[in-house]
Amino acid sequence: MTVDEATRYVLEQARARGVHVEVLGTRTRETSARAFQGRVEQLTEAVRGGLGLRVVVDGRVGYAYSEELTPAALEWALTEAVENAVLQPPGEGFLPTGGALGEHDLVGDRLQAPLAAKIGAALGFEGTLREDARVQQVVLAGYVEREQEVRLASTAGRSGAYRRGVVGTVGSVVMRQGTSLKQAWEAQFVTGVAALDPGRTALDLTERTGRLLGARPLRTGRYPAYLEPKPFAALLAAFWPMWSGKMVQEGKSRLRGRLGERIASPLVTLVDDPTLPDGLATRPFDAEGTPARPLTLVEDGVLRAFLTNSETARALGLPNTGHAARSYRSVLGVAPSNLYLAPRGPLPLARGVLVAEVMGVHAGTNPVTGEFSVQALGLWVEDGAVASPLENFTVAGDFLDLLAHVVGVGDGLRWELEGPSAFGAPGVVAVESLSFAGES
């Protein structure tokens, strides 16, 4: 069966049994080409998918999934979901009602290109990396293409589908200058093959890594800080759960009870926009079939909203913002789509630490407390110009405190893809001061 046929089969079986069910079906295809020393080292294509069932039995919610789309497997999954629901404690679970959501093709023919062209992108990317004499090793150079088809339907009436995709170049290099060695990683994604620029991405990687060669240790202290897009986006990806309605409901967010309060600098506006044209995580509706719409979480420093699905919205007495998220193998949660810090305009540098890279973000951040302590690389800025590269230091603080002390937000937006979500940051974010631990 196709995902569409399997979805219809489950709905028919559920109605025959008198079961309320929501079916989320996905099919994901990934093509990758890896280059090594001017030849294709690896060429792969993988397809994965399945159906995830969410059922409600007398307010109790149960889940099950199947990657095998046969009548026997689907009937087993439906029975399993019902049995799992019965085992849950009494609750107030429900399926949102609604109608047709439409069929949306967000990709069109933008992923279509001869295989030779896609392989050429990987080879060209590696070739440009090796043109820099300081490159000692190309650890990884490749082309990646991901296409996802999503179908949602329920006995409560909601039904729709969409197709989306991204392509990108990913790479890692080791560069040397004298005795100084630096390794860095880069992954740049766009929504179509024609928009891909492997040469530019390769130059970005070597330029960003090369400028850190010959670094000196940073002395411990508090300094004015400038965060480049990559590190700020990494922090945003780590701390977005503070705006999760699920975290708020569970009492795990420091933002609970603070709607309408100032929580950040007036220069800070955070927006999640699932309708963003050419967004890396754009979608027409969420995992429950709630239509997508832009949402301002923080407006000029004031907390305006949380990310909610139908369950968290009901529990908190707030609007459903359409941010339900789950894969066919997971339970209902909340997640952003294209989340970004709104740019303000050109921002000159003055004096302080320009943070260029952060490492160990997942281990060094706590979205419940808001605290972070991560290893970093950067550059010392003096009189508006880069004076020297810096290494062997950590940067620590509190994310809400960081947002409260933002004194400048640059222009442009650079996007980082993290799981099912994309995070955008302007060219630079200036913070009054941060704590740096380095050489005493």
Side-chain angles (χ1 to χ4, degrees):
M1 291 187 190
T2 65
V3 169
D4 185 24
E5 291 168 341
T7 300
R8 284 189 271 113
Y9 184 83
V10 171
L11 291 179
E12 290 170 2
Q13 292 296 310
R15 291 189 178 105
R17 299 189 197 184
V19 174
H20 302 291
V21 65
E22 174 188 86
V23 183
L24 178 69
T26 64
R27 179 184 181 275
T28 302
R29 177 187 61 81
E30 180 168 312
T31 301
S32 64
R34 181 169 175 172
F36 181 69
Q37 294 184 349
R39 60 182 178 82
V40 179
E41 180 184 47
Q42 189 177 67
L43 180 63
T44 62
E45 179 165 289
V47 177
R48 185 176 186 178
L51 253 61
L53 280 57
R54 178 168 69 124
V55 305
V56 178
V57 179
D58 298 327
R60 296 174 167 89
V61 180
Y63 295 87
Y65 74 91
S66 177
E67 294 178 344
E68 182 182 338
L69 304 185
T70 63
L74 296 173
E75 289 172 23
W76 172 88
L78 182 57
T79 299
E80 184 78 0
V82 170
E83 292 177 352
N84 288 338
V86 172
L87 293 173
Q88 302 305 310
E92 298 181 356
F94 66 99
L95 297 180
T97 59
L101 300 164
E103 307 268 335
H104 306 266
D105 188 351
L106 307 181
V107 180
D109 62 358
R110 286 184 291 176
L111 299 184
Q112 295 180 13
L115 180 59
K118 299 175 181 182
I119 292 173
L123 294 172
F125 180 53
E126 189 211 17
T128 304
L129 290 175
R130 292 188 182 279
E131 288 175 2
D132 194 311
R134 297 169 299 174
V135 172
Q136 296 295 291
Q137 181 183 3
V138 177
V139 181
L140 172 67
Y143 167 93
V144 177
E145 175 181 304
R146 297 173 187 153
E147 178 185 11
Q148 184 183 51
E149 298 174 15
V150 178
R151 182 165 294 278
L152 179 81
S154 76
T155 52
R158 291 192 170 180
S159 177
Y162 63 89
R163 172 176 168 259
R164 65 181 179 182
V166 296
V167 298
T169 43
V170 296
S172 176
V173 296
V174 176
M175 300 185 70
R176 176 190 291 273
Q177 180 176 291
T179 59
S180 177
L181 282 171
K182 288 290 178 289
Q183 181 174 355
W185 160 271
E186 187 71 59
Q188 278 295 297
F189 288 92
V190 291
T191 56
V193 177
L196 206 59
D197 191 344
R200 180 67 262 171
T201 303
L203 290 173
D204 285 345
L205 176 54
T206 53
E207 288 171 6
R208 285 175 53 83
T209 309
R211 64 185 176 158
L212 300 172
L213 292 168
R216 63 173 177 83
L218 175 67
R219 294 188 65 85
T220 296
R222 288 192 69 87
Y223 303 103
Y226 301 95
L227 301 179
E228 288 194 332
K230 197 172 180 181
F232 187 87
L235 290 176
L236 188 58
F239 287 108
W240 76 260
M242 300 181 81
W243 283 268
S244 162
K246 191 174 189 323
M247 294 281 281
V248 173
Q249 178 188 353
E250 295 171 351
K252 297 178 180 178
S253 171
R254 287 170 51 199
L255 297 177
R256 182 173 182 172
R258 299 189 64 185
L259 284 174
E261 293 184 15
R262 180 171 298 283
I263 64 162
S265 159
L267 296 174
V268 172
T269 292
L270 285 176
V271 178
D272 186 79
D273 188 357
T275 69
L276 194 67
D278 293 326
L280 300 180
T282 293
R283 52 173 173 74
F285 52 82
D286 71 0
E288 292 183 299
T290 303
R293 61 183 183 275
L295 176 70
T296 299
L297 297 172
V298 179
E299 182 180 28
D300 300 331
V302 177
L303 179 62
R304 295 300 187 194
F306 297 117
L307 303 169
T308 62
N309 57 32
S310 64
E311 290 183 354
T312 57
R314 174 180 284 189
L316 296 171
L318 295 173
N320 180 358
T321 63
H323 285 85
R326 70 180 176 104
S327 72
Y328 69 89
R329 301 199 302 170
S330 69
V331 301
L332 185 67
V334 170
S337 56
N338 303 301
L339 177 60
Y340 65 94
L341 174 65
R344 292 283 178 169
L347 179 65
L349 305 180
R351 176 183 180 275
V353 177
L354 179 66
V355 180
E357 300 279 350
V358 289
M359 292 82 74
V361 173
H362 291 292
T365 56
N366 186 330
V368 177
T369 65
E371 297 172 338
F372 65 90
S373 178
V374 294
Q375 292 181 307
L377 297 171
L379 303 133
W380 180 257
V381 176
E382 191 73 46
D383 296 327
V386 172
S388 62
L390 302 168
E391 65 181 357
N392 297 333
F393 66 90
T394 62
V395 56
D398 175 282
F399 191 63
L400 290 182
D401 185 65
L402 182 156
L403 294 182
H405 290 87
V406 168
V407 293
V409 176
D411 55 6
L413 274 178
R414 175 188 166 116
W415 292 92
E416 300 289 336
L417 194 59
E418 183 78 22
S421 305
F423 300 90
V428 66
V429 178
V431 182
E432 184 180 337
S433 69
L434 285 175
S435 178
F436 294 88
E439 186 180 73
S440 59

